[in-house]
């Protein structure tokens, strides 16, 4: 019996196992859709341009350390839902009336904390021990959608 399981395991590995998205593709480097909602926003905003979403993700790559690493929950913020792997969410991009049916529970969630004084806006993932600074390119992208990043 052990031999049968060994053969099945070897066949499964050589056959590539179950089908799954190829996570090393360029499309997996950025969310297909970024939804900004809640907090200081009155209405959700949807970023559906994959290249722009990639630019945004690259603009939030610098971790912040020290006292500003984790803002308090009372800091003004915007909720963020990131819908990864393009083909799953492509129908929502093609028919934008479907965007309003997206549920943040189906996405990777984070929060943008608005900047003030000399502090730049930050992106924080739940459970993170530090925040990520939003660089100028990320602020430029948010500004394009009239998203306030300062308070």
């Amino acid at each position: 019996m052990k031999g049968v399981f060994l053969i099945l395991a070897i066949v499964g590995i050589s056959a590539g196992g179950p089908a799954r998205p190829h996570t090393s593709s360029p499309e997996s480097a950025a969310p297909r859709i970024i939804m900004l909602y809640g907090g200081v926003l009155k209405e959700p905003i949807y970023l559906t341009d994959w290249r722009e979403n990639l630019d945004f993700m690259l603009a939030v790559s610098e971790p912040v350390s020290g006292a500003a690493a984790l803002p308090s929950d009372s800091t003004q913020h915007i909720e963020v839902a990131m819908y990864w792997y393009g083909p799953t969410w492509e129908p929502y991009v093609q028919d934008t009336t479907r965007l309003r049916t997206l549920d943040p529970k189906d996405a990777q969630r984070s929060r943008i904390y608005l900047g003030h004084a000399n502090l730049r806006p930050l992106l924080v993932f739940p459970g993170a021990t530090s925040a990520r600074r939003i660089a100028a390119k990320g602020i430029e992208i948010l500004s394009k959608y009239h998203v306030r990043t300062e308070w």
Side-chain angles (χ1 to χ4, degrees):
M1 191 60 132
K2 286 183 183 177
V4 172
F5 287 122
L6 179 60
I7 291 171
L8 289 174
I10 292 170
V11 169
I13 291 169
S14 66
R20 64 182 183 272
H22 184 59
T23 56
S24 63
S25 68
E27 290 78 16
S28 64
R32 183 60 184 98
I33 301 169
I34 298 176
M35 178 172 72
L36 308 170
Y37 67 101
V40 300
L41 293 179
K42 292 181 183 1
E43 295 287 324
I45 297 171
Y46 304 92
L47 285 67
T48 59
D49 180 315
W50 180 82
R51 297 233 181 257
E52 189 173 68
N53 291 351
L54 176 61
D55 287 344
F56 181 77
M57 295 309 293
L58 292 171
V60 295
S61 61
E62 182 188 344
V64 178
S65 59
L70 288 175
S72 74
D73 283 341
S74 64
T75 303
Q76 291 192 23
H77 64 274
I78 298 167
E79 301 293 336
V80 181
M82 298 180 192
Y83 298 86
W84 293 85
Y85 192 58
T88 304
W89 307 109
E90 196 62 34
Y92 294 83
V93 174
Q94 298 305 317
D95 178 5
T96 57
T97 61
R98 295 181 66 183
L99 289 171
R100 292 205 170 269
T101 67
L102 289 171
D103 187 340
K105 293 178 196 163
D106 297 329
Q108 178 184 24
R109 293 185 289 190
S110 59
R111 185 177 272 185
I112 294 174
Y113 288 93
L114 277 56
H116 61 93
N118 292 329
L119 297 175
R120 295 185 64 94
L122 303 171
L123 180 76
V124 178
F125 290 95
T129 57
S130 68
R132 298 195 169 273
R133 189 177 326 277
I134 302 176
K137 181 65 177 179
I139 293 170
E140 177 185 320
I141 291 167
L142 294 172
S143 295
K144 174 182 171 185
Y145 294 93
H146 308 286
V147 175
R148 186 175 102 207
T149 57
E150 301 287 326
W151 60 283

